[in-house]
Amino acid sequence: MKAPLAALALAALLTVTACGGGEAPAAKGPQPLRMSIWTSNEAHLKLFKEIAAEYRKFHPQVGEITFDPIPFENYTTTLTTQIAGGNAPDLAWILENSAPDFVGSGALVPLKSKVENAAELVPAATRLWERDGELYAYPFSTSPFGVFVNTDLVKAAGQKAPRELIKAGQWDWEHANEINKAVAAKGKNGLTILNFDYKAWDNLATVWQGWGAKAWSDDGGTCQFNAPEMVEAMTFMHKAIFTDKSMPGPGTAVDFFSGDTAMAVAQISRAAMLKDATFKWDLVPLPAGPKGEYAVIGQAGIGVLKKSPRAEQAADFLAYFTNSANSAKLAAYFPPARTSLLTADTMAKTSPMLNGDQLQKVVIDGIQKGVVKPSHKGQAELAQTARAALDPLWKPDADVKAVLDGVCAKIQPLLGG
Amino acid sequence: MSRRVKLALYALLCVLCVPFVFPTWWMVTSSVKPISDIFAFPPALVPSRFDFSTYSRVFELQPFGQQYLNSLYIAAVVTVGTMAVAAMAGYAFARIRFPGQNVLFLVVLVGLLIPSEVTIVPLFQMFHAAGMTDTHWPLILVPILGAPSVLATFIMRQFFITLPDELEEAARVDGLGRFGTFYRVVLPLARPALGAVAIFTFLHSWNLYLEPIVFLSTPSKFTLPQALTQFVDAYGSPLWNVQLSAATMTALPILVVFVLAQRQFIEGLAHTGLKG
Amino acid sequence: MTDLSNRVAERAATRPRHFWTIPRRDALVGYLLISPQLAGSVLFVLLPLGLVVYYSLQEWNVLAGTFEFVGGQNYAKLLADPNMGQVLTSTALFSIGLVVLNLALALTLAILLDQRLRGTTFFRTLFFSPVLVSLVAWTIVWQFLLQQDGGVNGLLGAAGVDGPNWLRGETTALLSVVVVQVVKNVGLNMVLFLAALQGVPRQLYEAAQLDGAGAWTRFLRITVPLISPTILLTSIITVVGSLQVFAQIAVLTQGGPGMSTTVLVYYLYQQAFQFRHLGYGATLSVLLFLIVAALTLLQWRLRRKWVFHES
């Protein structure tokens, strides 16, 4: 116990004098690399480690490559705490909602010249990670939102399956709502938006995009929560929740995968959860809104942190990790952004859960034309502020316009700053 | 006491029990429910069928056994360490006169006033500079010596204050020095207070949540509360029944130990224990 | 006899006084005994606290890695922060509710269990058991129970009451977090009270009864004064603890609905860790520290007025 104490005392002095958190001394021998990730799924980790082992064969100067899982819930928070404490990883997964902060702050190393064949990356997937024509993170997972349908429940409620509606050109929110209303009338749940839970409102973009609504203007400077399209979209949702009861209300836990819910808006990667489903299911694109068909994607990028003393090596590993061959392997779990991989045939090999039509309509089309969920510099504070201001909306007698005006009043100062 | 009063008292106790017992009951029973039952309304008191496979999944998804050992040994070390540190400091502050005593006591008391969120960033920096992040040292050293042990010292001091002066005078006449008095005479008497400190400290360490999340990053080094939040699918959605199985496994052994040892715990406390 | 004592006194007077007198030796032992705790306080409490004060004078952008002295700017921000009113109100309501409910319930349970009844050990175990369940597990379970269609409303429904949507109403959400926290931890205070109650001599009650004092009078005149040191201890612990409740809010409400459950420590966490305003977070830390310190000092000062037997 004495040695650690002495070390601590020394460390304390160091912190007081230097206060930046010590950089690791340039050690000799193989240099380890560390990547922060939020999955702790064994299959994922196994694949990562295989790729890492392969890489080290040709790069003996690289020591062990570790993958640090941080719980998804607190991912960005924990990551930034580590960075603040001077313990930044060399590489990190970055969620789409913190992309503007990471890309904009200059915390990441430019990658364009490193990434293999960067030209084939789908523009919709890279937009978030670019600044001044430079790429700051590799879009390693680009996962479109679709609607998972429990066809058994839909049939039991005497409704047409969404796939039939698609054929008839009637797959829109009005029709979807009718189905869910009928299911709800039978005592089951209608449609749920996964991970929303009346808190993570950015997931509602999967609905309001159909009305052409936006959280804020494209330049990020003006709040658009109280624009007419948004008011209309939110009115639709409010009615669905409180009048039609076709969406489970606030304070209700819903689990699509156990079979009590007709539809779930979710990222397609969730198909893996349906491996042992006890009901028949389908995956269809998001219903059309008044403004027509649309797609929304969720994203994650991998960046190299400038603070890393081994940034050069880390970027080199990232290039290897995401080259065409490895992207194809990763595609089994994380939808790729490389056009060469975005064909129904290639995808079918990696996503055995989905059929060709589902892959083409939801995944491939979705990635090509998808709009990324809203994100902004200072997203965490914006998200919290808007969440608090939106709460009054989730009551039966809410005045939609007034609440949305209130949201803008609260977040405009944050947007303008 | 009349029969009627007794009956009323029992009825009152039973009603009051509900919020204390029901959540634990729900946690244990739900851990073997099929997932659709967890969401059933009204909630099922008894599972419709038992599915124990979630318990084996707990160990498949994470090195749960290792994490269990981590939590246990950290809590044990912290408890013993805190008892030693707090008994010594508490005794000195209560029974020995030395210059600067009051000021030093106030200095120590500051620790009682600091939520761990306040100092976590500087602490992280210090431990990182000392090369001790992703080790168990911060989870052991800070509770034993830092803010969490101050409450223990405070409890010990309040206990030692109530001891009669004659005890120490007698010990002195017997030729015992300060150390001897402390170790041979006072400490054995302090067992109830030490018991209280042990319970407080063990539970505090056992439940520690923020610190492990900040300091540890390797799953095999995780502690239980931290591990509990990790039973999620790849996209962050909780695997409810697996999580509840893990939660049950963290709670039940402690409950059993408590039921068996509660005489020592509480009655010891009750006989001579904390009167201020 | 006299002869002997005279001789001893003589020797003490003639021999040069030893440096290590008893008080000095005592003091040395005292310093030695407190040294681990003191070293820990300096290293793990005062030093980090000093750093926090230092950070509160900086604008610290973690991602960009910039660290810039801004003087009192964060404190000016604190005074102008439009959320502060709501946060402090929530904090006050939360803490008052929690302390009052916790102490009242703990004392009630302790008194009930102090009656000469069979099976009190059993009930004591039950009331204490939530203390042993890990906080995270406990909160996750309550999250289910408090849903619109959850266990609490199931039980209320069985009694014919239509329960509210607990975590979605501003008042009920605050109340829920308080109750979840009280039920979790009241066992500790209950045990401390029970210990104190069992230390009250029964003869006192019997004598008072002979003098014609009613149950309430006996409680106020005998019980409360005699267990007042314990009341002081538990109330200090509970007040301090109430200002540090964090994980429960993070799991149950995340500060909502609106900002009704955003208490100071949660707001601090949001600002520092989620919003990455580490400088401002440090400023809020300083504020939180000052509030806790002031309250504790106040309680300590007031103790002379009502705590029996305190030197």
Side-chain angles (χ1 to χ4, degrees):
Chain A
M1 195 145 132
K2 262 182 192 151
L5 265 181
L8 259 183
L10 186 70
L13 282 175
L14 277 176
T15 338
V16 176
T17 47
C19 214
E23 305 263 290
K28 291 168 190 72
Q31 293 288 296
L33 288 177
R34 189 162 68 93
M35 185 193 290
S36 298
I37 58 179
W38 62 74
T39 175
S40 47
N41 181 300
E42 274 182 38
H44 298 174
L45 284 170
K46 189 162 162 278
L47 177 58
F48 298 161
K49 281 179 188 155
E50 277 168 19
I51 297 178
E54 198 64 27
Y55 178 74
R56 285 182 60 197
K57 273 189 202 158
F58 307 102
H59 298 84
Q61 75 277 24
V62 177
E64 201 183 349
I65 302 177
T66 47
F67 298 91
D68 262 8
I70 299 174
F72 185 84
E73 273 283 297
N74 307 310
Y75 182 79
T76 306
T77 306
T78 312
L79 179 62
T80 40
T81 309
Q82 288 186 353
I83 297 175
N87 188 27
D90 305 298
L91 304 106
W93 290 15
I94 298 161
L95 270 161
E96 80 249 302
N97 60 20
S98 49
D101 286 331
F102 274 87
V103 173
S105 66
L108 302 173
V109 170
L111 294 171
K112 197 154 205 168
S113 56
K114 302 273 169 41
V115 170
E116 186 186 284
N117 200 1
E120 71 157 334
L121 295 173
V122 181
T126 54
R127 191 170 306 133
L128 199 54
W129 312 102
E130 283 173 339
R131 199 188 54 180
D132 306 330
E134 183 48 83
L135 185 71
Y136 286 94
Y138 179 87
F140 90 107
S141 177
T142 306
S143 190
F145 284 85
V147 180
F148 287 95
V149 183
N150 182 331
T151 44
D152 284 351
L153 277 185
V154 172
K155 201 191 267 176
Q159 297 292 308
K160 270 195 204 162
R163 196 153 288 281
E164 292 171 50
L165 291 175
I166 292 178
K167 275 189 198 126
Q170 292 178 325
W171 179 235
D172 55 32
W173 278 106
E174 288 304 327
H175 282 85
N177 193 44
E178 288 308 313
I179 299 177
N180 291 312
K181 212 165 129 182
V183 173
K186 292 255 176 190
K188 302 285 184 182
N189 293 313
L191 174 135
T192 177
I193 297 168
L194 248 62
N195 293 9
F196 163 48
D197 196 25
Y198 294 86
K199 286 172 191 148
W201 53 266
D202 56 339
N203 288 294
L204 296 180
T206 54
V207 180
W208 75 47
Q209 192 69 38
W211 275 255
K214 282 182 185 133
W216 39 75
S217 56
D218 289 333
D219 65 2
T222 319
C223 173
Q224 306 222 312
F225 266 95
N226 54 357
E229 308 89 66
M230 184 63 94
V231 176
E232 228 177 284
M234 289 294 203
T235 308
F236 170 81
M237 276 185 269
H238 189 270
K239 176 172 162 286
I241 296 162
F242 295 101
T243 313
D244 302 339
K245 316 264 184 210
S246 54
M247 289 170 77
T252 314
V254 184
D255 182 58
F256 175 79
F257 303 98
S258 64
D260 281 336
T261 307
M263 297 183 197
V265 173
Q267 278 170 291
I268 53 115
S269 1
R270 293 299 181 94
M273 304 268 303
L274 288 159
K275 208 167 53 188
D276 308 313
T278 52
F279 52 88
K280 283 212 194 71
W281 60 274
D282 196 357
L283 171 66
V284 295
L286 294 169
K291 290 275 161 69
E293 289 181 15
Y294 64 100
V296 178
I297 48 182
Q299 271 202 310
I302 304 180
V304 174
L305 286 135
K306 246 187 207 159
K307 273 205 171 172
S308 159
R310 300 169 286 272
E312 189 74 15
Q313 192 70 59
D316 191 62
F317 172 64
L318 178 59
Y320 179 80
F321 193 76
T322 59
N323 68 22
S324 299
N326 286 326
S327 290
K329 289 183 201 162
L330 290 167
Y333 308 105
F334 308 102
R338 291 183 179 276
T339 30
S340 62
L341 297 172
L342 284 173
T343 66
D345 285 346
T346 351
M347 293 292 291
K349 280 184 216 134
T350 53
S351 310
M353 299 294 297
L354 302 177
N355 63 38
D357 193 47
Q358 292 169 334
L359 285 167
Q360 183 63 47
K361 282 238 170 60
V362 184
V363 185
I364 296 167
D365 294 354
I367 291 177
Q368 306 275 9
K369 67 180 179 191
V371 178
V372 184
K373 285 199 296 179
S375 62
H376 196 282
K377 195 162 168 287
Q379 175 77 10
E381 187 168 12
L382 262 175
Q384 267 306 324
T385 311
R387 196 273 305 143
L390 269 174
D391 275 333
L393 186 61
W394 313 122
K395 286 179 184 155
D397 50 358
D399 177 344
V400 178
K401 178 73 168 73
V403 172
L404 293 176
D405 280 337
V407 173
C408 275
K410 283 277 185 197
I411 69 169
Q412 188 58 50
L414 298 172
L415 293 172
Chain B
M1 218 178 300
S2 73
R3 257 186 99 88
R4 200 179 283 175
V5 174
K6 267 190 184 168
L7 267 179
L9 275 179
Y10 278 123
L12 184 61
L13 283 172
C14 286
V15 171
L16 282 173
C17 259
V18 173
F20 291 82
V21 179
F22 185 68
T24 313
W25 173 260
W26 190 88
M27 173 178 82
V28 176
T29 54
S30 296
S31 69
V32 293
K33 281 178 192 167
I35 193 131
S36 52
D37 277 21
I38 293 181
F39 292 94
F41 183 78
L45 279 179
V46 184
S48 60
R49 66 189 160 85
F50 292 85
D51 176 9
F52 287 98
S53 67
T54 49
Y55 279 82
S56 53
R57 286 201 66 199
V58 168
F59 292 89
E60 285 164 22
L61 288 167
Q62 285 196 72
F64 195 70
Q66 178 68 47
Q67 293 163 343
Y68 216 104
L69 281 180
N70 294 343
S71 267
L72 266 182
Y73 106 80
I74 292 174
V77 171
V78 168
T79 305
V80 173
T82 305
M83 283 160 74
V85 168
M88 293 186 335
Y91 177 73
F93 282 126
R95 317 270 342 171
I96 304 179
R97 300 258 162 277
F98 50 89
Q101 187 171 28
N102 290 332
V103 176
L104 292 176
F105 186 54
L106 280 180
V107 166
V108 168
L109 272 188
V110 171
L112 196 58
L113 313 177
I114 296 196
S116 45
E117 286 80 10
V118 167
T119 49
I120 193 94
V121 169
L123 280 177
F124 186 90
Q125 289 180 316
M126 288 164 56
F127 280 100
H128 179 64
M132 283 193 253
T133 45
D134 205 24
T135 72
H136 291 148
W137 283 111
L139 307 182
I140 293 174
L141 290 178
V142 174
I144 292 181
L145 299 169
S149 70
V150 174
L151 178 62
T153 296
F154 186 72
I155 290 176
M156 293 312 295
R157 173 188 176 268
Q158 295 302 92
F159 172 79
F160 287 129
I161 280 180
T162 62
L163 285 184
D165 292 337
E166 294 81 38
L167 267 177
E168 280 167 309
E169 279 160 26
R172 191 156 292 198
V173 169
D174 288 349
L176 283 173
R178 269 292 178 184
F179 269 121
T181 315
F182 171 62
Y183 191 73
R184 301 247 182 93
V185 179
V186 177
L187 214 49
L189 284 172
R191 265 165 64 185
L194 281 173
V197 165
I199 299 175
F200 270 115
T201 311
F202 187 89
L203 292 173
H204 181 266
S205 172
W206 187 252
N207 284 332
L208 214 56
Y209 179 60
L210 181 71
E211 289 83 350
I213 284 186
V214 171
F215 284 114
L216 303 179
S217 50
T218 312
S220 63
K221 291 176 185 160
F222 283 1
T223 60
L224 289 176
Q226 185 183 14
L228 280 186
T229 58
Q230 302 259 337
F231 292 103
V232 293
D233 65 32
Y235 316 102
S237 292
L239 298 164
W240 292 113
N241 43 8
V242 183
Q243 194 174 37
L244 289 169
S245 307
T248 303
M249 280 191 274
T250 65
L252 275 191
I254 305 292
L255 282 172
V256 170
V257 169
F258 174 71
V259 168
L260 293 179
Q262 66 155 329
R263 250 166 226 287
Q264 278 79 346
F265 275 158
I266 297 178
E267 290 186 0
L269 202 72
H271 278 293
T272 28
L274 272 171
K275 291 173 206 118
Chain C
M1 252 333 242
T2 356
D3 199 32
L4 183 76
S5 55
N6 278 344
R7 280 209 336 245
V8 170
E10 234 170 78
R11 265 171 65 181
T14 50
R15 228 171 57 169
R17 260 185 79 163
H18 199 284
F19 179 77
W20 287 111
T21 55
I22 287 181
R24 283 218 169 106
R25 239 184 311 178
D26 256 18
L28 178 71
V29 173
Y31 289 130
L32 277 178
L33 287 178
I34 63 164
S35 57
Q37 176 83 83
L38 199 63
S41 288
V42 170
L43 198 53
F44 297 136
V45 178
L46 295 184
L47 179 66
L49 193 65
L51 284 172
V52 167
V53 175
Y54 173 67
Y55 295 158
S56 75
L57 303 173
Q58 314 286 327
E59 177 68 50
W60 182 1
N61 186 330
V62 176
L63 294 181
T66 54
F67 199 81
E68 194 187 329
F69 181 80
V70 294
Q73 206 168 300
N74 283 319
Y75 289 88
K77 184 176 171 184
L78 178 70
L79 292 176
D81 189 337
N83 293 323
M84 241 16 240
Q86 168 80 59
V87 169
L88 290 178
T89 313
S90 299
T91 310
L93 285 176
F94 181 83
S95 288
I96 293 169
L98 192 116
V99 171
V100 170
L101 196 62
N102 188 328
L103 292 180
L105 188 62
L107 194 53
T108 311
L109 291 177
I111 289 172
L112 283 177
L113 294 179
D114 193 38
Q115 306 304 315
R116 287 178 187 145
L117 278 180
R118 277 170 171 279
T120 46
T121 316
F122 173 72
F123 281 107
R124 195 178 59 195
T125 311
L126 293 187
F127 289 129
F128 194 79
S129 64
V131 176
L132 307 164
V133 177
S134 110
L135 179 62
V136 175
W138 180 255
T139 317
I140 290 172
V141 168
W142 274 95
Q143 194 188 2
F144 271 98
L145 297 179
L146 286 167
Q147 280 165 8
Q148 174 89 72
D149 293 341
V152 173
N153 283 348
L155 283 178
L156 287 177
V161 182
D162 201 8
N165 198 349
W166 294 98
L167 296 175
R168 298 301 309 187
E170 306 216 332
T171 321
T172 52
L174 191 70
L175 185 70
S176 301
V177 183
V178 168
V179 169
V180 168
Q181 174 66 6
V182 166
V183 172
K184 168 87 177 71
N185 271 343
V186 76
L188 275 176
N189 284 346
M190 174 193 80
V191 168
L192 294 178
F193 279 136
L194 203 52
L197 284 175
Q198 292 180 351
V200 178
R202 302 267 156 183
Q203 310 89 284
L204 283 179
Y205 289 121
E206 282 152 21
Q209 206 157 8
L210 284 181
D211 291 346
W216 185 243
T217 317
R218 272 175 290 161
F219 174 73
L220 281 185
R221 292 284 167 78
I222 300 173
T223 316
V224 171
L226 282 179
I227 65 167
S228 54
T230 307
I231 299 182
L232 175 73
L233 177 70
T234 49
S235 61
I236 289 181
I237 297 174
T238 315
V239 168
V240 173
S242 77
L243 287 161
Q244 306 184 358
V245 166
F246 167 74
Q248 299 83 319
I249 289 175
V251 174
L252 286 176
T253 63
Q254 290 164 22
M259 290 190 66
S260 57
T261 55
T262 306
V263 298
L264 190 52
V265 71
Y266 192 73
Y267 190 59
L268 182 170
Y269 169 82
Q270 282 187 328
Q271 288 287 349
F273 296 98
Q274 294 191 315
F275 307 165
R276 294 189 286 277
H277 301 321
L278 277 153
Y280 189 49
T283 311
L284 290 167
S285 300
V286 173
L287 174 69
L288 178 62
F289 171 72
L290 290 179
I291 292 179
V292 178
L295 283 178
T296 310
L297 204 66
L298 189 72
Q299 278 171 297
W300 196 246
R301 278 280 157 96
L302 285 177
R303 82 190 191 281
R304 280 169 222 277
K305 294 234 187 317
W306 61 277
V307 175
F308 186 70
H309 233 74
E310 177 70 41
S311 51

